[in-house]
Amino acid sequence: MNATTKISWKTATALVVSNMVGTGVFTSLGYQLLDVQNTTSIILLWLIGGILALFGAFSYAQLGTHFKQSGGDYIFLSRIFHPVLGYLTSWASLVVGFSAPVAIAAIAMTQYLAPFGIQESNMLAISVILLVGVMHSFSIKQSGRFQNVTTVIKLAFVLVLIGVGIAYTPAISTNAISFRTSWTQELTTPGFAVSLIYVTYAYTGWNVAAYIVGEIKDAQRGLPRALILGSILVTILYVLLQLIFLKHASLEQLGGNVEVATIAFSNLFETSGSRWVSFFIAVQLVATISGYIWAGSRVTHAMAKEHSLWKALRPVNSLGIPVRTVWAHVFISIALTLTGTFEQILLYTGFVLQLMSTLAVASVLFLKKDKSADNFKSPFYPYAQYIFIVFSGWILAYTLYDRPTESLIGLGIIAAGLVTYFFSKSEMKSE
């Protein structure tokens, strides 16, 4: 693939931002406020999530510039540990890791359009997934343009929400901003741990540009820029959004409710204004769906090129697009949309994604030293990796303890992939 068919670091950054900003930032706060009510604690939750994403971005930037191949976790784990780990992460990405977030976003989109009289419709969700699949079936240039346009819409919407939220005085007498309880005591409660699980899911997508590193111009510089700037930008947006939601709604209104953005802005603009907030939350999810289909198809294609069981997914079109893997993700996403509930899909997908990203970050510690001055070197190495692994391991253990059914479903999906591995002849070329 020559440089003229590749995307800029700006488009790669748009991909990171659009993948990260999805449903989580607009829904998590209501659950957090059931147990964590000090505003300092809420800010810390979102800052911790952002720092973990940034440390993960450091690691993926180093891995991506070292291997310079699209495929993300598949390439990293296959080359550093063992082909079976790479295969399993690609299998998990195909079945749930990238397909399930598409289903989640599509289902959420129909829910947010309910104020306009649109009933929750599988047909609408499926139509959007099919449309995005078409947009990624022709060329890198078209994929990049579509991603850029949808991300600009997403960012414009978020910035308008923040600007309006800052400019307007709360329309309610008592809002949810509170410093009455001790934030230091809240840090050690089970509720803080559960809240952090929701936060880490909201930050999912910080690593997405590493999955298409082979399609980024000057990847040695472009990939680190995209991952790091994208993670920092989203962290700032997330913290500001939570403060806006707290400012314009009461604790009683937000606690335990999912649609926190709609609730907060309905206080400002009454019903008509909140309807449009719901509408644009739905629209901005198109960029999220787009990013997951784009990146996920590259992980699956990297596996297909090296494992005989999936050779039917190897062909690319004249412009190098792995059309068959794009549509494999489209059809699996549609199947999940038809068969799963929002919460079930979210929980077992979050567990699998967290597990795979933790293994990938850990692989940096085993990466052979590269004397090339062009490749990115992780700041704070190896402490950034240790911190990420410890926090992530704690989240995984707590999720397994608190939600064993969903966690075991995630592990069962990985186990099913292990069975298919033994029916697939590896055709990996020695590096």
Side-chain angles (χ1 to χ4, degrees):
M1 187 178 291
N2 59 57
T4 59
T5 62
K6 295 187 176 184
I7 61 172
S8 69
W9 69 268
K10 294 177 183 178
T11 298
T13 304
L15 184 63
V16 172
V17 172
S18 61
N19 266 48
M20 292 177 77
V21 182
T23 56
V25 67
F26 298 109
T27 58
S28 301
L29 182 62
Y31 294 119
Q32 294 164 8
L33 287 172
L34 292 175
D35 300 296
V36 180
Q37 297 176 3
N38 187 290
T39 300
T40 301
S41 302
I42 296 294
I43 294 171
L44 280 173
L45 278 170
W46 290 92
L47 285 177
I48 290 171
I51 291 169
L52 290 177
L54 183 61
F55 285 174
F58 291 158
S59 300
Y60 271 69
Q62 181 168 342
L63 289 164
T65 56
H66 177 88
F67 290 107
K68 304 177 181 68
Q69 290 178 264
S70 294
D73 296 349
Y74 172 79
I75 297 296
F76 308 154
L77 299 181
S78 293
R79 306 302 191 259
I80 296 175
F81 292 136
H82 191 279
V84 68
L85 283 180
Y87 182 91
L88 290 177
T89 191
S90 188
W91 161 267
S93 295
L94 174 64
V95 179
V96 291
F98 284 87
S99 301
V102 170
I104 290 170
I107 293 169
M109 178 181 290
T110 64
Q111 294 173 342
Y112 278 110
L113 290 174
F116 288 85
I118 299 174
Q119 300 299 318
E120 290 187 26
S121 168
N122 284 332
M123 288 307 300
L124 175 61
I126 290 169
S127 297
V128 172
I129 295 172
L130 288 171
L131 173 63
V132 173
V134 170
M135 297 305 295
H136 286 295
S137 295
F138 295 98
S139 67
I140 294 295
K141 187 175 183 180
Q142 178 168 299
S143 293
R145 283 179 174 173
F146 183 71
Q147 196 67 50
N148 284 339
V149 169
T150 54
T151 303
V152 166
I153 294 171
K154 180 191 290 280
L155 276 178
F157 166 65
V158 171
L159 291 173
V160 167
L161 283 187
I162 291 171
V164 169
I166 291 173
Y168 278 74
T169 302
I172 54 175
S173 57
T174 304
N175 59 27
I177 292 179
S178 171
F179 300 95
R180 292 189 295 271
T181 57
S182 170
W183 66 270
T184 55
Q185 292 179 0
E186 287 184 337
L187 291 181
T188 59
T189 62
F192 192 87
V194 173
S195 296
L196 193 55
I197 294 171
Y198 286 108
V199 167
T200 54
Y201 181 80
Y203 276 99
T204 299
W206 50 263
N207 52 359
V208 69
Y211 295 99
I212 60 162
V213 62
E215 299 173 7
I216 300 174
K217 296 175 186 175
D218 189 15
Q220 283 79 4
R221 294 172 180 80
L223 178 64
R225 284 181 183 176
L227 292 173
I228 294 169
L229 291 178
S231 297
I232 292 172
L233 174 60
V234 170
T235 300
I236 294 170
L237 294 177
Y238 277 9
V239 171
L240 290 174
L241 280 172
Q242 305 316 306
L243 289 173
I244 295 301
F245 300 153
L246 293 170
K247 175 183 176 182
H248 292 286
S250 67
L251 179 61
E252 291 72 24
Q253 289 177 315
L254 295 176
N257 286 312
V258 175
E259 298 174 349
V260 293
T262 305
I263 292 169
F265 283 89
S266 66
N267 289 333
L268 274 180
F269 303 119
E270 299 181 349
T271 305
S272 59
S274 65
R275 289 171 73 238
W276 287 106
V277 171
S278 292
F279 174 78
F280 279 105
I281 290 176
V283 170
Q284 62 88 29
L285 288 171
V286 174
T288 303
I289 293 170
S290 172
Y292 276 108
I293 288 177
W294 187 357
S297 64
R298 274 41 174 191
V299 179
T300 302
H301 190 248
M303 174 184 69
K305 289 191 295 183
E306 298 182 345
H307 291 274
S308 61
L309 186 65
W310 305 96
K311 63 183 179 181
L313 298 178
R314 291 176 187 174
V316 298
N317 69 8
S318 59
L319 294 175
I321 301 299
V323 178
R324 293 189 184 183
T325 57
V326 168
W327 284 92
H329 279 263
V330 166
F331 290 130
I332 291 173
S333 299
I334 289 172
L336 290 171
T337 301
L338 293 171
T339 59
T341 67
F342 184 94
E343 185 180 13
Q344 284 177 328
I345 297 172
L346 187 152
L347 286 168
Y348 65 68
T349 300
F351 184 86
V352 171
L353 288 172
Q354 193 72 33
L355 177 61
M356 293 306 172
S357 63
T358 304
L359 287 173
V361 169
S363 72
V364 177
L365 302 173
F366 299 88
L367 190 64
K368 293 180 181 178
K369 291 184 179 180
D370 192 340
K371 296 180 181 179
S372 173
D374 289 336
N375 292 346
F376 181 82
K377 304 297 188 298
S378 171
F380 311 116
Y381 177 90
Y383 305 108
Q385 286 71 35
Y386 288 143
I387 292 170
F388 185 98
I389 293 166
V390 169
F391 266 91
S392 187
W394 172 64
I395 291 168
L396 286 167
Y398 196 91
T399 305
L400 183 60
Y401 170 78
D402 189 60
R403 302 303 292 263
T405 301
E406 289 82 1
S407 301
L408 290 174
I409 289 173
L411 292 174
I413 290 169
I414 295 172
L418 187 61
V419 174
T420 69
Y421 176 79
F422 290 108
F423 287 95
S424 180
K425 181 181 178 182
S426 176
E427 299 173 5
M428 269 185 61
K429 298 177 182 178
S430 58
E431 296 295 315

